[in-house]
Amino acid sequence: MYGEEESDETLVERAGHGDRIAASLLVSRHSDSIFRLCRRMLTNTTAAEDATQETFLRLWKSAVNWRPHGAKFKTWLYRVATNVCLDMLRRKGRELPEDAAPERADGSLSAEASMVAEEARLAVEAALARLPERQRLAITLCCFQELSNTEAAAVMELSVEAIESLLARGRRTLREALSSRRDDLLEGIRS
């Protein structure tokens, strides 16, 4: 029996016994959110794709040994993805090559609105990329991946208080970095 009703825990157990269909279901269920996490951490689509693939390769290799030890599967998977991203950042330094092809803008927006929205997105991404790794990860997990502070603390292996401190410092730094562009950014939201 396969399908949406099966828990991640059941699927990872089956994947650990070599069940490729179970592994495929886990990938399809979680690949979008893992990619978004990697994209925000690495600020590069190609590197994020590589990190996402490496995350699922590690899942496949370690599925046989995975035990729920109090953490949800999703929390454990985010931890694996986080470690992959941090390893890539340390290995490459903070300078990753630019994407070869720009992302396409939403065709439903006017050309001017698309440009303003894209400039706003790039400004936020640039400010986010300048944050220290732990602040960027905390903001990415809580604000973009919509994990609770408790879940983010489990992923980062920190206390909830430490996550809250990282979030406060990161938000303050982002606010300061983007304050000079406030009117432009708000205009992009209104368009």
Side-chain angles (χ1 to χ4, degrees):
M1 167 178 91
Y2 288 110
E4 294 299 318
E5 65 277 354
E6 285 193 281
S7 71
D8 289 338
E9 290 74 17
T10 300
L11 291 173
V12 76
E13 182 179 332
R14 289 181 183 194
H17 288 62
D19 187 334
R20 292 178 184 265
I21 294 172
S24 177
L25 285 170
L26 286 169
V27 170
S28 65
R29 196 178 278 182
H30 296 286
S31 61
D32 288 344
S33 63
I34 294 299
F35 173 77
R36 285 190 305 270
L37 168 67
C38 295
R39 176 70 174 91
R40 295 235 183 254
M41 285 299 297
L42 300 171
T43 68
N44 178 281
T45 301
T46 304
E49 289 168 349
D50 292 344
T52 301
Q53 183 176 15
E54 178 62 24
T55 298
F56 286 105
L57 283 173
R58 289 187 187 183
L59 163 64
W60 179 256
K61 289 177 185 174
S62 61
V64 70
N65 299 318
W66 186 81
R67 300 290 178 265
H69 305 297
K72 291 193 283 185
F73 170 78
K74 184 177 176 181
T75 304
W76 175 80
L77 189 61
Y78 272 57
R79 183 71 209 157
V80 171
T82 297
N83 287 339
V84 168
C85 289
L86 292 174
D87 288 347
M88 289 177 78
L89 286 169
R90 288 180 188 120
R91 200 169 37 246
K92 299 273 189 187
R94 293 185 69 96
E95 299 301 317
L96 292 173
E98 290 295 318
D99 289 336
E103 294 181 20
R104 291 186 176 173
D106 183 355
S108 64
L109 298 175
S110 70
E112 182 180 354
S114 292
M115 287 177 23
V116 170
E118 181 66 7
E119 286 176 16
R121 184 186 69 77
L122 291 173
V124 171
E125 280 190 6
L128 189 62
R130 287 190 297 269
L131 288 177
E133 288 174 0
R134 290 167 31 116
Q135 289 177 22
R136 182 174 11 145
L137 180 57
I139 287 178
T140 298
L141 291 172
C142 294
C143 299
F144 296 106
Q145 299 304 121
E146 300 178 357
L147 268 61
S148 69
N149 290 0
T150 304
E151 291 171 320
V155 169
M156 293 182 68
E157 298 175 337
L158 298 171
S159 68
V160 174
E161 293 80 15
I163 289 293
E164 290 170 352
S165 176
L166 288 169
L167 288 169
R169 289 193 318 261
R171 287 176 179 143
R172 185 173 41 251
T173 303
L174 285 174
R175 194 170 23 259
E176 291 167 4
L178 297 170
S179 67
S180 66
R181 305 228 24 215
R182 183 177 186 272
D183 291 339
D184 294 338
L185 294 173
L186 290 175
E187 182 62 35
I189 292 170
R190 290 184 197 120
S191 295

